[in-house]
Amino acid sequence: MSERMILKLGGSVITDKSADCTVNRESLATIAAAIAQSRTSGIVVIHGAGSCGHPEAKRYHLDKGASSGQTDGIWVTHRVVSGLNDEVVRALRDAGVAAVGVHPFHTAVADNGRLVSFEHRHLEKMLALGMVPVIHGDVVMDLTRGACIVSGDQLVRYLALALHIPCVGLATDVPGVLDGTCVVPKITRGTMPEIQIGNSKHTDVTGGMSGKLNELLELADAGIGSDIFHVSRTRDFLNGNDHGGTHVRGEKNE
Ligand code: IP8
């Protein structure tokens, strides 16, 4: 059996980002079947919000914080992304995976947009019992701003370090990090300035591919590499095979 893994599902692969909150159930079922058949010794699934959270976060300016009397957006945004989390958990459970939803709003604290704590001892216990925690980008109370949005990518970085998980994969709607139309096979902090990263046309309050790479380069600096690949290659990633995507690495790791 291979080591523990984090699998991040981009919001664009589990929702239709061009519409109001629309869950892509077909994609979820395919991903769930791949996870059900994988032979990892433990997996944490983290997912983004896509069209079920980003439009609400933007409408209520949660990327800029929240103040007294202006808190409806916290509830609205948390509710819509929690609904998406229920759908992800349901798809996994239908495929036979012992999935359970975990909401950062209940267990995390941020300061100036960055996570400063996330209770994770219960996640360790879940993994030890063979459960699959399913966590999502969420609204989190923020010591300075009142509230903020914590992306799934920030959660990937924080939890890979907290749980000492060395194998991290991000399934996206593109085949890897693209420079023009070509997949960049490997990115390090040193090679990052050479790459021209395009921007998504959909609402994304957490920085799209650039935001993702910032988190993953921080993770790589701390000694944990990560892989970005097309969602159709999820099974390859889970089985340790070539996935044709991008490897984000520290200057010293392979
Ligand atoms: O889609 C954003 O998470 P992301 C979470 O991983 C919300 O950036 C609630 C917009």
Side-chain angles (χ1 to χ4, degrees), residues 8 48-50 53-54 57 77 81 137-138 149-153 205-206:
K8 156 86 196 297
H54 281 278
T77 306
V81 77
D138 202 354
I149 295 295
V150 167
S151 69
D153 298 323
V205 296
T206 51

Side-chain angles (χ1 to χ4, degrees), residues 8-12 17 46-50 52-58 62 77-78 80-81 136-139 148-155 204-208 212:
K8 156 86 196 297
L9 307 174
S12 55
K17 274 188 136 178
I46 298 178
H47 64 83
C52 306
H54 281 278
E56 291 76 11
K58 194 168 174 73
L62 284 177
T77 306
H78 174 65
V80 72
V81 77
H136 55 92
D138 202 354
V139 190
C148 70
I149 295 295
V150 167
S151 69
D153 298 323
Q154 192 182 158
L155 289 162
D204 192 325
V205 296
T206 51
K212 185 185 302 305

Side-chain angles (χ1 to χ4, degrees), residues 99-160:
V100 62
V102 176
H103 305 296
F105 183 59
H106 301 167
T107 187
V109 177
D111 193 10
N112 248 326
R114 304 299 293 166
L115 277 172
V116 291
S117 73
F118 191 123
E119 175 59 71
H120 54 273
R121 288 169 297 177
H122 60 325
L123 301 180
E124 279 288 5
K125 267 290 166 234
M126 289 176 201
L127 289 169
L129 293 178
M131 297 165 77
V132 173
V134 183
I135 309 165
H136 55 92
D138 202 354
V139 190
V140 166
M141 300 318 288
D142 186 299
L143 300 176
T144 306
R145 300 184 193 170
C148 70
I149 295 295
V150 167
S151 69
D153 298 323
Q154 192 182 158
L155 289 162
V156 165
R157 180 191 56 77
Y158 191 96
L159 291 176

